[in-house]
Amino acid sequence: MGTRVKLAEEALSKFDSRYLICSVVAKRAKQLVKHPESQGLAWAITEALKELNEEKISFEQPELEKPQARRGRRSRASR
């Protein structure tokens, strides 16, 4: 198994949302790619995953809202 896969699985075991992981890693990797010592995108993603797992990246996990019940519209069958 590849290094990135292991790092991604480790991140999934620590954080609730794979979408949150993806967003945080993508944002950090984008920063790393722009760095003069960058070794490319694959390297940047691996480094971002390492930083996330080592809790070197700070972020706020958004609170999810509960879905609200629909009001006002009736279905055609109930008319």
PDB file of all heavy atoms in Angstrom, residues 27-56:
ATOM      1  N   LYS A  27      -6.292  22.610   0.310  1.00  0.00           N
ATOM      2  CA  LYS A  27      -5.895  24.000   0.568  1.00  0.00           C
ATOM      3  C   LYS A  27      -4.418  24.080   0.949  1.00  0.00           C
ATOM      4  O   LYS A  27      -3.672  24.924   0.446  1.00  0.00           O
ATOM      5  CB  LYS A  27      -6.763  24.585   1.681  1.00  0.00           C
ATOM      6  CG  LYS A  27      -6.519  26.039   1.949  1.00  0.00           C
ATOM      7  CD  LYS A  27      -7.508  26.573   2.971  1.00  0.00           C
ATOM      8  CE  LYS A  27      -7.290  28.055   3.199  1.00  0.00           C
ATOM      9  NZ  LYS A  27      -8.270  28.599   4.136  1.00  0.00           N
ATOM     10  N   ARG A  28      -3.979  23.174   1.828  1.00  0.00           N
ATOM     11  CA  ARG A  28      -2.573  23.184   2.258  1.00  0.00           C
ATOM     12  C   ARG A  28      -1.647  22.770   1.113  1.00  0.00           C
ATOM     13  O   ARG A  28      -0.577  23.361   0.931  1.00  0.00           O
ATOM     14  CB  ARG A  28      -2.387  22.265   3.464  1.00  0.00           C
ATOM     15  CG  ARG A  28      -0.962  22.205   3.957  1.00  0.00           C
ATOM     16  CD  ARG A  28      -0.473  23.557   4.438  1.00  0.00           C
ATOM     17  NE  ARG A  28       0.892  23.436   4.933  1.00  0.00           N
ATOM     18  CZ  ARG A  28       1.860  24.305   4.681  1.00  0.00           C
ATOM     19  NH1 ARG A  28       1.614  25.399   3.981  1.00  0.00           N
ATOM     20  NH2 ARG A  28       3.065  24.116   5.161  1.00  0.00           N
ATOM     21  N   ALA A  29      -2.039  21.763   0.330  1.00  0.00           N
ATOM     22  CA  ALA A  29      -1.215  21.314  -0.800  1.00  0.00           C
ATOM     23  C   ALA A  29      -1.045  22.436  -1.814  1.00  0.00           C
ATOM     24  O   ALA A  29       0.039  22.614  -2.377  1.00  0.00           O
ATOM     25  CB  ALA A  29      -1.835  20.081  -1.451  1.00  0.00           C
ATOM     26  N   LYS A  30      -2.086  23.215  -2.024  1.00  0.00           N
ATOM     27  CA  LYS A  30      -2.003  24.349  -2.948  1.00  0.00           C
ATOM     28  C   LYS A  30      -0.963  25.363  -2.465  1.00  0.00           C
ATOM     29  O   LYS A  30      -0.196  25.905  -3.260  1.00  0.00           O
ATOM     30  CB  LYS A  30      -3.379  25.011  -3.065  1.00  0.00           C
ATOM     31  CG  LYS A  30      -3.467  26.079  -4.104  1.00  0.00           C
ATOM     32  CD  LYS A  30      -4.899  26.587  -4.225  1.00  0.00           C
ATOM     33  CE  LYS A  30      -5.003  27.678  -5.268  1.00  0.00           C
ATOM     34  NZ  LYS A  30      -6.364  28.200  -5.383  1.00  0.00           N
ATOM     35  N   GLN A  31      -0.927  25.586  -1.153  1.00  0.00           N
ATOM     36  CA  GLN A  31       0.077  26.481  -0.587  1.00  0.00           C
ATOM     37  C   GLN A  31       1.483  25.915  -0.782  1.00  0.00           C
ATOM     38  O   GLN A  31       2.415  26.632  -1.126  1.00  0.00           O
ATOM     39  CB  GLN A  31      -0.180  26.703   0.903  1.00  0.00           C
ATOM     40  CG  GLN A  31      -1.437  27.450   1.222  1.00  0.00           C
ATOM     41  CD  GLN A  31      -1.756  27.447   2.708  1.00  0.00           C
ATOM     42  OE1 GLN A  31      -1.214  26.651   3.472  1.00  0.00           O
ATOM     43  NE2 GLN A  31      -2.662  28.327   3.115  1.00  0.00           N
ATOM     44  N   LEU A  32       1.636  24.610  -0.547  1.00  0.00           N
ATOM     45  CA  LEU A  32       2.947  23.966  -0.659  1.00  0.00           C
ATOM     46  C   LEU A  32       3.467  23.951  -2.095  1.00  0.00           C
ATOM     47  O   LEU A  32       4.665  24.099  -2.325  1.00  0.00           O
ATOM     48  CB  LEU A  32       2.885  22.539  -0.107  1.00  0.00           C
ATOM     49  CG  LEU A  32       2.737  22.417   1.411  1.00  0.00           C
ATOM     50  CD1 LEU A  32       2.443  20.974   1.793  1.00  0.00           C
ATOM     51  CD2 LEU A  32       3.959  22.931   2.131  1.00  0.00           C
ATOM     52  N   VAL A  33       2.578  23.771  -3.057  1.00  0.00           N
ATOM     53  CA  VAL A  33       2.984  23.741  -4.466  1.00  0.00           C
ATOM     54  C   VAL A  33       3.581  25.088  -4.886  1.00  0.00           C
ATOM     55  O   VAL A  33       4.509  25.130  -5.688  1.00  0.00           O
ATOM     56  CB  VAL A  33       1.791  23.358  -5.374  1.00  0.00           C
ATOM     57  CG1 VAL A  33       2.067  23.663  -6.828  1.00  0.00           C
ATOM     58  CG2 VAL A  33       1.472  21.884  -5.219  1.00  0.00           C
ATOM     59  N   LYS A  34       3.083  26.165  -4.323  1.00  0.00           N
ATOM     60  CA  LYS A  34       3.573  27.496  -4.671  1.00  0.00           C
ATOM     61  C   LYS A  34       4.922  27.814  -4.022  1.00  0.00           C
ATOM     62  O   LYS A  34       5.571  28.777  -4.395  1.00  0.00           O
ATOM     63  CB  LYS A  34       2.543  28.555  -4.259  1.00  0.00           C
ATOM     64  CG  LYS A  34       1.277  28.500  -5.077  1.00  0.00           C
ATOM     65  CD  LYS A  34       0.295  29.546  -4.624  1.00  0.00           C
ATOM     66  CE  LYS A  34      -0.978  29.485  -5.434  1.00  0.00           C
ATOM     67  NZ  LYS A  34      -1.966  30.476  -4.973  1.00  0.00           N
ATOM     68  N   HIS A  35       5.328  27.003  -3.064  1.00  0.00           N
ATOM     69  CA  HIS A  35       6.590  27.232  -2.361  1.00  0.00           C
ATOM     70  C   HIS A  35       7.766  26.969  -3.296  1.00  0.00           C
ATOM     71  O   HIS A  35       7.728  26.041  -4.106  1.00  0.00           O
ATOM     72  CB  HIS A  35       6.673  26.306  -1.141  1.00  0.00           C
ATOM     73  CG  HIS A  35       7.736  26.687  -0.183  1.00  0.00           C
ATOM     74  ND1 HIS A  35       9.028  26.257  -0.307  1.00  0.00           N
ATOM     75  CD2 HIS A  35       7.696  27.479   0.916  1.00  0.00           C
ATOM     76  CE1 HIS A  35       9.747  26.755   0.679  1.00  0.00           C
ATOM     77  NE2 HIS A  35       8.966  27.494   1.443  1.00  0.00           N
ATOM     78  N   PRO A  36       8.839  27.769  -3.220  1.00  0.00           N
ATOM     79  CA  PRO A  36       9.981  27.601  -4.129  1.00  0.00           C
ATOM     80  C   PRO A  36      10.661  26.223  -4.042  1.00  0.00           C
ATOM     81  O   PRO A  36      11.238  25.767  -5.012  1.00  0.00           O
ATOM     82  CB  PRO A  36      10.961  28.700  -3.697  1.00  0.00           C
ATOM     83  CG  PRO A  36      10.216  29.610  -2.821  1.00  0.00           C
ATOM     84  CD  PRO A  36       8.993  28.924  -2.346  1.00  0.00           C
ATOM     85  N   GLU A  37      10.573  25.566  -2.896  1.00  0.00           N
ATOM     86  CA  GLU A  37      11.211  24.259  -2.732  1.00  0.00           C
ATOM     87  C   GLU A  37      10.260  23.098  -3.018  1.00  0.00           C
ATOM     88  O   GLU A  37      10.570  21.952  -2.706  1.00  0.00           O
ATOM     89  CB  GLU A  37      11.782  24.134  -1.327  1.00  0.00           C
ATOM     90  CG  GLU A  37      12.887  25.145  -1.049  1.00  0.00           C
ATOM     91  CD  GLU A  37      13.378  25.084   0.380  1.00  0.00           C
ATOM     92  OE1 GLU A  37      13.063  24.114   1.079  1.00  0.00           O
ATOM     93  OE2 GLU A  37      14.091  26.010   0.789  1.00  0.00           O
ATOM     94  N   SER A  38       9.131  23.395  -3.611  1.00  0.00           N
ATOM     95  CA  SER A  38       8.131  22.371  -3.916  1.00  0.00           C
ATOM     96  C   SER A  38       8.691  21.302  -4.852  1.00  0.00           C
ATOM     97  O   SER A  38       9.458  21.589  -5.765  1.00  0.00           O
ATOM     98  CB  SER A  38       6.903  23.002  -4.566  1.00  0.00           C
ATOM     99  OG  SER A  38       6.003  22.001  -4.983  1.00  0.00           O
ATOM    100  N   GLN A  39       8.272  20.065  -4.612  1.00  0.00           N
ATOM    101  CA  GLN A  39       8.697  18.942  -5.453  1.00  0.00           C
ATOM    102  C   GLN A  39       7.541  18.412  -6.294  1.00  0.00           C
ATOM    103  O   GLN A  39       7.590  17.282  -6.763  1.00  0.00           O
ATOM    104  CB  GLN A  39       9.281  17.839  -4.574  1.00  0.00           C
ATOM    105  CG  GLN A  39      10.506  18.296  -3.812  1.00  0.00           C
ATOM    106  CD  GLN A  39      10.979  17.250  -2.821  1.00  0.00           C
ATOM    107  OE1 GLN A  39      10.643  16.082  -2.921  1.00  0.00           O
ATOM    108  NE2 GLN A  39      11.769  17.686  -1.856  1.00  0.00           N
ATOM    109  N   GLY A  40       6.503  19.194  -6.425  1.00  0.00           N
ATOM    110  CA  GLY A  40       5.371  18.799  -7.254  1.00  0.00           C
ATOM    111  C   GLY A  40       4.115  18.546  -6.452  1.00  0.00           C
ATOM    112  O   GLY A  40       4.116  18.574  -5.220  1.00  0.00           O
ATOM    113  N   LEU A  41       3.030  18.281  -7.158  1.00  0.00           N
ATOM    114  CA  LEU A  41       1.718  18.125  -6.530  1.00  0.00           C
ATOM    115  C   LEU A  41       1.629  16.885  -5.640  1.00  0.00           C
ATOM    116  O   LEU A  41       1.110  16.950  -4.531  1.00  0.00           O
ATOM    117  CB  LEU A  41       0.623  18.078  -7.606  1.00  0.00           C
ATOM    118  CG  LEU A  41      -0.813  17.976  -7.098  1.00  0.00           C
ATOM    119  CD1 LEU A  41      -1.154  19.152  -6.184  1.00  0.00           C
ATOM    120  CD2 LEU A  41      -1.777  17.912  -8.259  1.00  0.00           C
ATOM    121  N   ALA A  42       2.130  15.745  -6.115  1.00  0.00           N
ATOM    122  CA  ALA A  42       2.061  14.514  -5.317  1.00  0.00           C
ATOM    123  C   ALA A  42       2.800  14.700  -3.992  1.00  0.00           C
ATOM    124  O   ALA A  42       2.316  14.296  -2.924  1.00  0.00           O
ATOM    125  CB  ALA A  42       2.635  13.350  -6.098  1.00  0.00           C
ATOM    126  N   TRP A  43       3.963  15.325  -4.055  1.00  0.00           N
ATOM    127  CA  TRP A  43       4.733  15.603  -2.842  1.00  0.00           C
ATOM    128  C   TRP A  43       3.940  16.516  -1.908  1.00  0.00           C
ATOM    129  O   TRP A  43       3.885  16.285  -0.685  1.00  0.00           O
ATOM    130  CB  TRP A  43       6.067  16.262  -3.217  1.00  0.00           C
ATOM    131  CG  TRP A  43       6.831  16.766  -2.036  1.00  0.00           C
ATOM    132  CD1 TRP A  43       7.664  16.062  -1.217  1.00  0.00           C
ATOM    133  CD2 TRP A  43       6.808  18.103  -1.520  1.00  0.00           C
ATOM    134  NE1 TRP A  43       8.159  16.879  -0.241  1.00  0.00           N
ATOM    135  CE2 TRP A  43       7.654  18.139  -0.402  1.00  0.00           C
ATOM    136  CE3 TRP A  43       6.163  19.270  -1.906  1.00  0.00           C
ATOM    137  CZ2 TRP A  43       7.864  19.296   0.337  1.00  0.00           C
ATOM    138  CZ3 TRP A  43       6.378  20.423  -1.168  1.00  0.00           C
ATOM    139  CH2 TRP A  43       7.215  20.430  -0.061  1.00  0.00           C
ATOM    140  N   ALA A  44       3.324  17.550  -2.468  1.00  0.00           N
ATOM    141  CA  ALA A  44       2.561  18.517  -1.667  1.00  0.00           C
ATOM    142  C   ALA A  44       1.380  17.853  -0.965  1.00  0.00           C
ATOM    143  O   ALA A  44       1.112  18.132   0.208  1.00  0.00           O
ATOM    144  CB  ALA A  44       2.080  19.665  -2.547  1.00  0.00           C
ATOM    145  N   ILE A  45       0.688  16.958  -1.656  1.00  0.00           N
ATOM    146  CA  ILE A  45      -0.452  16.252  -1.049  1.00  0.00           C
ATOM    147  C   ILE A  45       0.033  15.361   0.087  1.00  0.00           C
ATOM    148  O   ILE A  45      -0.569  15.326   1.169  1.00  0.00           O
ATOM    149  CB  ILE A  45      -1.214  15.438  -2.113  1.00  0.00           C
ATOM    150  CG1 ILE A  45      -1.909  16.397  -3.079  1.00  0.00           C
ATOM    151  CG2 ILE A  45      -2.214  14.492  -1.457  1.00  0.00           C
ATOM    152  CD1 ILE A  45      -2.485  15.724  -4.305  1.00  0.00           C
ATOM    153  N   THR A  46       1.133  14.643  -0.132  1.00  0.00           N
ATOM    154  CA  THR A  46       1.688  13.777   0.903  1.00  0.00           C
ATOM    155  C   THR A  46       2.092  14.595   2.125  1.00  0.00           C
ATOM    156  O   THR A  46       1.789  14.224   3.265  1.00  0.00           O
ATOM    157  CB  THR A  46       2.898  12.991   0.360  1.00  0.00           C
ATOM    158  OG1 THR A  46       2.479  12.236  -0.773  1.00  0.00           O
ATOM    159  CG2 THR A  46       3.489  12.067   1.404  1.00  0.00           C
ATOM    160  N   GLU A  47       2.769  15.714   1.896  1.00  0.00           N
ATOM    161  CA  GLU A  47       3.190  16.575   3.006  1.00  0.00           C
ATOM    162  C   GLU A  47       1.978  17.138   3.755  1.00  0.00           C
ATOM    163  O   GLU A  47       1.986  17.213   4.983  1.00  0.00           O
ATOM    164  CB  GLU A  47       4.076  17.713   2.500  1.00  0.00           C
ATOM    165  CG  GLU A  47       5.443  17.257   2.053  1.00  0.00           C
ATOM    166  CD  GLU A  47       6.230  16.558   3.140  1.00  0.00           C
ATOM    167  OE1 GLU A  47       6.351  17.117   4.256  1.00  0.00           O
ATOM    168  OE2 GLU A  47       6.723  15.445   2.889  1.00  0.00           O
ATOM    169  N   ALA A  48       0.956  17.543   3.027  1.00  0.00           N
ATOM    170  CA  ALA A  48      -0.257  18.085   3.655  1.00  0.00           C
ATOM    171  C   ALA A  48      -0.940  17.019   4.511  1.00  0.00           C
ATOM    172  O   ALA A  48      -1.404  17.310   5.619  1.00  0.00           O
ATOM    173  CB  ALA A  48      -1.208  18.621   2.594  1.00  0.00           C
ATOM    174  N   LEU A  49      -1.002  15.784   4.029  1.00  0.00           N
ATOM    175  CA  LEU A  49      -1.582  14.690   4.822  1.00  0.00           C
ATOM    176  C   LEU A  49      -0.763  14.433   6.085  1.00  0.00           C
ATOM    177  O   LEU A  49      -1.326  14.223   7.166  1.00  0.00           O
ATOM    178  CB  LEU A  49      -1.677  13.407   3.986  1.00  0.00           C
ATOM    179  CG  LEU A  49      -2.853  13.321   3.030  1.00  0.00           C
ATOM    180  CD1 LEU A  49      -2.645  12.188   2.032  1.00  0.00           C
ATOM    181  CD2 LEU A  49      -4.151  13.118   3.805  1.00  0.00           C
ATOM    182  N   LYS A  50       0.567  14.455   5.948  1.00  0.00           N
ATOM    183  CA  LYS A  50       1.424  14.279   7.128  1.00  0.00           C
ATOM    184  C   LYS A  50       1.160  15.372   8.154  1.00  0.00           C
ATOM    185  O   LYS A  50       1.019  15.097   9.351  1.00  0.00           O
ATOM    186  CB  LYS A  50       2.900  14.320   6.724  1.00  0.00           C
ATOM    187  CG  LYS A  50       3.402  13.080   6.039  1.00  0.00           C
ATOM    188  CD  LYS A  50       4.878  13.252   5.669  1.00  0.00           C
ATOM    189  CE  LYS A  50       5.388  12.102   4.844  1.00  0.00           C
ATOM    190  NZ  LYS A  50       6.794  12.314   4.400  1.00  0.00           N
ATOM    191  N   GLU A  51       1.093  16.615   7.679  1.00  0.00           N
ATOM    192  CA  GLU A  51       0.854  17.740   8.581  1.00  0.00           C
ATOM    193  C   GLU A  51      -0.509  17.629   9.259  1.00  0.00           C
ATOM    194  O   GLU A  51      -0.643  17.935  10.447  1.00  0.00           O
ATOM    195  CB  GLU A  51       0.957  19.061   7.828  1.00  0.00           C
ATOM    196  CG  GLU A  51       2.364  19.411   7.410  1.00  0.00           C
ATOM    197  CD  GLU A  51       2.453  20.711   6.629  1.00  0.00           C
ATOM    198  OE1 GLU A  51       1.434  21.427   6.527  1.00  0.00           O
ATOM    199  OE2 GLU A  51       3.549  21.013   6.117  1.00  0.00           O
ATOM    200  N   LEU A  52      -1.513  17.194   8.527  1.00  0.00           N
ATOM    201  CA  LEU A  52      -2.849  17.023   9.102  1.00  0.00           C
ATOM    202  C   LEU A  52      -2.827  15.958  10.191  1.00  0.00           C
ATOM    203  O   LEU A  52      -3.362  16.163  11.287  1.00  0.00           O
ATOM    204  CB  LEU A  52      -3.856  16.655   8.011  1.00  0.00           C
ATOM    205  CG  LEU A  52      -5.296  16.460   8.470  1.00  0.00           C
ATOM    206  CD1 LEU A  52      -5.874  17.768   9.016  1.00  0.00           C
ATOM    207  CD2 LEU A  52      -6.153  15.940   7.335  1.00  0.00           C
ATOM    208  N   ASN A  53      -2.201  14.835   9.911  1.00  0.00           N
ATOM    209  CA  ASN A  53      -2.139  13.742  10.889  1.00  0.00           C
ATOM    210  C   ASN A  53      -1.324  14.111  12.123  1.00  0.00           C
ATOM    211  O   ASN A  53      -1.592  13.616  13.219  1.00  0.00           O
ATOM    212  CB  ASN A  53      -1.591  12.474  10.239  1.00  0.00           C
ATOM    213  CG  ASN A  53      -2.581  11.852   9.285  1.00  0.00           C
ATOM    214  OD1 ASN A  53      -3.789  11.995   9.445  1.00  0.00           O
ATOM    215  ND2 ASN A  53      -2.084  11.178   8.274  1.00  0.00           N
ATOM    216  N   GLU A  54      -0.321  14.965  11.945  1.00  0.00           N
ATOM    217  CA  GLU A  54       0.506  15.412  13.068  1.00  0.00           C
ATOM    218  C   GLU A  54      -0.101  16.630  13.765  1.00  0.00           C
ATOM    219  O   GLU A  54       0.517  17.221  14.648  1.00  0.00           O
ATOM    220  CB  GLU A  54       1.919  15.737  12.571  1.00  0.00           C
ATOM    221  CG  GLU A  54       2.661  14.511  12.073  1.00  0.00           C
ATOM    222  CD  GLU A  54       3.949  14.854  11.337  1.00  0.00           C
ATOM    223  OE1 GLU A  54       4.288  16.060  11.214  1.00  0.00           O
ATOM    224  OE2 GLU A  54       4.614  13.909  10.872  1.00  0.00           O
ATOM    225  N   GLU A  55      -1.300  17.026  13.334  1.00  0.00           N
ATOM    226  CA  GLU A  55      -2.053  18.154  13.892  1.00  0.00           C
ATOM    227  C   GLU A  55      -1.271  19.464  13.801  1.00  0.00           C
ATOM    228  O   GLU A  55      -1.343  20.315  14.682  1.00  0.00           O
ATOM    229  CB  GLU A  55      -2.493  17.851  15.318  1.00  0.00           C
ATOM    230  CG  GLU A  55      -3.420  16.640  15.384  1.00  0.00           C
ATOM    231  CD  GLU A  55      -3.855  16.295  16.792  1.00  0.00           C
ATOM    232  OE1 GLU A  55      -3.644  17.105  17.716  1.00  0.00           O
ATOM    233  OE2 GLU A  55      -4.414  15.199  16.952  1.00  0.00           O
ATOM    234  N   LYS A  56      -0.530  19.632  12.707  1.00  0.00           N
ATOM    235  CA  LYS A  56       0.200  20.875  12.453  1.00  0.00           C
ATOM    236  C   LYS A  56      -0.639  21.872  11.674  1.00  0.00           C
ATOM    237  O   LYS A  56      -0.265  23.027  11.541  1.00  0.00           O
ATOM    238  CB  LYS A  56       1.489  20.577  11.682  1.00  0.00           C
ATOM    239  CG  LYS A  56       2.510  19.820  12.488  1.00  0.00           C
ATOM    240  CD  LYS A  56       3.766  19.585  11.689  1.00  0.00           C
ATOM    241  CE  LYS A  56       4.817  18.861  12.495  1.00  0.00           C
ATOM    242  NZ  LYS A  56       6.024  18.602  11.682  1.00  0.00           N
TER     243      LYS A  56
END
